[in-house]
Amino acid sequence: MSTPIKVAVAGASGRMGREAVKLVLQEEGLQLAGAMSPSAGAVDAGRLVGLDEAGVKVVPTLEAMLSSADIDVLVDFTVPQAVYANTLEAITRGVRPVVGATGFTPAQIEELDELCKQQKIGGLIAPNFSIGAILMMKFAAEAAKYFPHLEIIEYHGDQKLDAPSGTSIKTAELISAARKELRQGNPSEEETIEGSRGGYYDGFRIHSVRLPGVFAQQEVVFGAFGQSLKIRHDSYDRAGYMPGVAHAVRKVMTYEGMVYGFEHIMDD
């Protein structure tokens, strides 16, 4: 019987963090080794997510969690303001980060990649762990070769902190790698209300919708003479991201360096 992968979860009391704790407790081959939340109190991690006691107490700081247990992988679903420092701390301690938050600059990703290689460990930064969302990005990038005029519209609940979403930015990056920059629309167009045309990215626009009752959707709309094409993905539950998280936890144990984007490990 193979040794289970020892996993800790940062942001364990958050909406995605709770799902990650459930995943680790229920997934064969994974073992919960730590849980961190600055606001949950010293509760058992299993009780935190409505399951039986797991024998792992939630601690308030990342340092306390990483210092108190032998951990292979850190799953981090905290906030953009904290993920870089968290990831840096984990790598320094030889813990493989699997990060589901945005906020990293290209220079930071390059730095973390070098640190992972120095420590001979793998890491992953993924704006989205949904298999369907990754396929949507891949299909959009392929379509952009033939339909270069496009706009991205992403929808999330009104409590989401960042705009545009990490998924839409990653989609835009993949599209830009597949097509040349093309400034769209009338060159003389004028916004009579600032921001009404959305955020500008490499010639096209990204629109962020924030409304109560919305979970997570994104569509890429392509336009051409006499026709249009829409590629859309809808998420209805955070549990839909967890198969991707489980795959990522196992995968980071097999390579060295920091990977940006779940699409790079999805086929393995």
Side-chain angles (χ1 to χ4, degrees), residues 86-146:
N86 290 354
T87 306
L88 191 64
E89 179 70 16
I91 295 171
T92 301
R93 293 173 178 264
V95 176
R96 300 160 181 83
V98 171
V99 184
T102 57
F104 294 91
T105 67
Q108 287 174 335
I109 294 172
E110 183 177 350
E111 176 193 8
L112 296 172
D113 178 45
E114 289 299 319
L115 289 173
C116 279
K117 290 175 181 176
Q118 291 174 17
Q119 293 279 31
K120 300 186 183 302
I121 60 175
L124 175 71
I125 298 168
N128 200 310
F129 286 93
S130 165
I131 305 299
I134 301 302
L135 291 174
M136 175 267 297
M137 296 181 205
K138 285 177 171 278
F139 297 157
E142 182 66 20
K145 299 175 184 177
Y146 308 96

Side-chain angles (χ1 to χ4, degrees), residues 11 40 44 58 60 66 68-69 87 91 111 124 137 140 165 170 208 250:
D44 183 89
V58 179
L66 295 178
S68 63
T87 306
I91 295 171
E111 176 193 8
L124 175 71
M137 296 181 205
S165 69
K170 184 62 179 176
S208 296
R250 292 185 173 94

Side-chain angles (χ1 to χ4, degrees), residues 137-206:
M137 296 181 205
K138 285 177 171 278
F139 297 157
E142 182 66 20
K145 299 175 184 177
Y146 308 96
F147 289 82
H149 293 264
L150 64 104
E151 303 210 1
I152 298 173
I153 308 171
E154 54 97 351
Y155 310 77
H156 283 85
D158 61 346
Q159 298 304 300
K160 184 171 177 59
L161 297 177
D162 57 323
S165 69
T167 298
S168 65
I169 293 173
K170 184 62 179 176
T171 305
E173 291 171 349
L174 293 175
I175 288 171
S176 294
R179 95 196 216 311
K180 296 180 180 179
E181 181 175 0
L182 173 68
R183 192 176 185 91
Q184 301 172 182
N186 192 314
S188 300
E189 73 176 9
E190 180 181 352
E191 287 184 326
T192 55
I193 298 178
E194 184 180 358
S196 57
R197 285 290 290 118
Y200 182 89
Y201 190 102
D202 204 22
F204 55 91
R205 300 285 179 167
I206 302 176

Side-chain angles (χ1 to χ4, degrees), residues 22-46:
K22 288 181 185 178
L23 166 74
V24 177
L25 289 174
Q26 297 174 333
E27 183 80 6
E28 185 177 355
L30 305 185
Q31 176 185 328
L32 187 67
M36 182 276 282
S37 170
S39 59
V43 299
D44 183 89

